[in-house]
């Protein structure tokens, strides 16, 4: 039996035997949708300095520059579609195979694929609010024609996306929800994330310390590899659908 096939069979076994499985996803999952990992060569951070375009300091000091970047990034994200990996996780949730997804991605592709219980550690790039009065700002009013920086019609404050900028903390609500879900879980499927960003990287070891298991699906070895009960080297958009198919 080849390695990939046996990895998939072991993963299917662990999911079937689990009481409450969850998925933890990162940039690698959305690469097949056409969003290059921000930190990889060719990714956004190879062309733009995140300190200048995606930090809270820059948003306060030079909101027009940040907004120029946000308009381009939002257009790129809106132009892509969920891939077979997102769809397989949505299907797994519907069939009761997993209870939710904790993601470090801001692209909203899990929800667009049909996942219901999605905890977004770093926020979402399609929700906006005013930095001064916190009024929500409708996403459909953010177009390439809008004056930059986008300003609040109520108070003229700068509008911002509901995502975590460099220099900001993970929102308390997401943090709490993620760790509560993790504490109910006895299995985590790690897909497309290398485990070098806290606090997401703390979740798999926490589940394992409580007696749970880890399935890793990544292209390359990661911080999770030495911990994983099942480690599958491959593309999440190929491996996850194969797992779903073998479960049914
Ligand atoms: Zn306002």
């Amino acid at each position: 039996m080849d390695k990939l096939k046996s990895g998939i069979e072991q993963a299917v076994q662990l999911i079937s035997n689990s009481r409450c499985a969850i998925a933890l996803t990162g940039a690698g999952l959305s690469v097949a949708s056409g969003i290059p990992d921000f930190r990889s060569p060719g990714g956004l951070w190879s062309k733009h300095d995140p300190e200048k375009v995606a930090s809270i300091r820059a948003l306060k000091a030079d909101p027009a520059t940040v907004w120029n970047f946000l308009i381009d990034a939002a257009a790129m994200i809106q132009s892509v579609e969920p891939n077979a990996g997102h769809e397989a996780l949505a299907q797994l949730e519907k069939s009761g195979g997993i209870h939710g997804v904790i993601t470090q991605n801001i692209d909203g592709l899990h929800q667009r694929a049909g996942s219901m219980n999605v905890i977004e550690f770093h926020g979402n790039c399609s929700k906006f609010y005013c930095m001064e009065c916190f009024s929500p700002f409708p996403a459909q009013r953010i177009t390439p024609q809008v004056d930059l920086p986008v300003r609040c019609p109520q108070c003229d404050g700068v509008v911002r996306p509901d995502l975590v900028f460099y220099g900001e903390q993970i929102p308390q609500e997401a943090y709490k929800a993620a760790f509560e879900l993790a504490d109910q879980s006895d299995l985590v499927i790690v897909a497309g994330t290398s485990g070098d960003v806290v606090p997401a990287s703390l979740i798999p070891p926490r589940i394992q310390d409580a007696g749970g298991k880890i399935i890793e699906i990544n292209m390359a070895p990661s911080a999770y590899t030495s911990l994983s009960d099942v480690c599958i080297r491959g593309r999440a958009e190929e491996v996850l659908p194969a797992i779903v198919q073998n479960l049914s």
Side-chain angles (χ1 to χ4, degrees):
M1 194 188 307
D2 70 50
K3 221 174 161 190
L4 177 64
K5 203 171 159 209
S6 89
I8 287 169
E9 283 180 5
Q10 289 170 48
V12 165
Q13 194 89 48
L14 285 185
I15 295 168
S16 303
N17 293 339
S18 72
R19 179 179 42 75
C20 177
I22 59 170
L24 175 67
T25 68
L29 188 63
S30 292
V31 170
S33 289
I35 303 180
D37 185 337
F38 292 179
R39 294 178 298 157
S40 70
L44 281 175
W45 303 151
S46 68
K47 296 171 197 145
H48 304 273
D49 177 358
E51 188 51 43
K52 291 202 176 99
V53 297
S55 71
I56 187 64
R57 193 199 51 75
L59 184 64
K60 287 177 177 162
D62 184 7
T65 296
V66 173
W67 264 104
N68 260 307
F69 168 76
L70 287 175
I71 291 278
D72 288 350
M76 187 262 282
I77 288 170
Q78 277 159 19
S79 71
V80 305
E81 298 294 332
N83 64 56
H86 299 104
E87 280 157 12
L89 288 176
Q91 212 173 325
L92 262 180
E93 186 182 351
K94 283 193 191 91
S95 65
I98 60 170
H99 285 68
V101 177
I102 300 170
T103 188
Q104 298 166 92
N105 298 343
I106 56 161
D107 52 38
L109 292 176
H110 283 298
Q111 293 92 327
R112 283 176 56 198
S115 286
M116 307 291 287
N117 186 19
V118 181
I119 297 166
E120 294 170 307
F121 255 145
H122 298 155
N124 187 302
C125 68
S126 58
K127 287 186 215 144
F128 300 87
Y129 66 91
C130 169
M131 280 172 83
E132 300 299 328
C133 74
F134 302 101
S135 303
F137 187 91
Q140 61 270 26
R141 285 174 56 187
I142 293 169
T143 63
Q145 288 77 37
V146 76
D147 283 339
L148 300 181
V150 177
R151 289 193 178 271
C152 171
Q154 270 94 39
C155 78
D156 205 41
V158 172
V159 169
R160 61 165 291 171
D162 191 5
L163 49 82
V164 178
F165 277 82
Y166 278 74
E168 287 188 307
Q169 301 284 326
I170 303 284
Q172 274 301 315
E173 209 179 303
Y175 195 97
K176 200 165 161 260
F179 281 88
E180 274 174 13
L181 183 61
D183 286 344
Q184 293 163 23
S185 305
D186 60 353
L187 173 64
V188 57
I189 305 167
V190 173
T193 177
S194 58
D196 46 18
V197 179
V198 287
S201 61
L202 305 175
I203 287 179
R206 187 175 170 110
I207 291 173
Q208 194 169 52
D209 285 348
K213 308 272 188 202
I214 302 172
I215 298 170
E216 182 194 7
I217 304 165
N218 269 328
M219 295 287 290
S222 77
Y224 300 121
T225 302
S226 61
L227 304 174
S228 299
D229 297 279
V230 176
C231 186
I232 305 174
R233 285 282 156 264
R235 297 176 190 281
E237 69 275 14
E238 290 168 5
V239 174
L240 286 167
I243 289 174
V244 169
Q245 205 178 6
N246 279 270
L247 264 169
S248 45

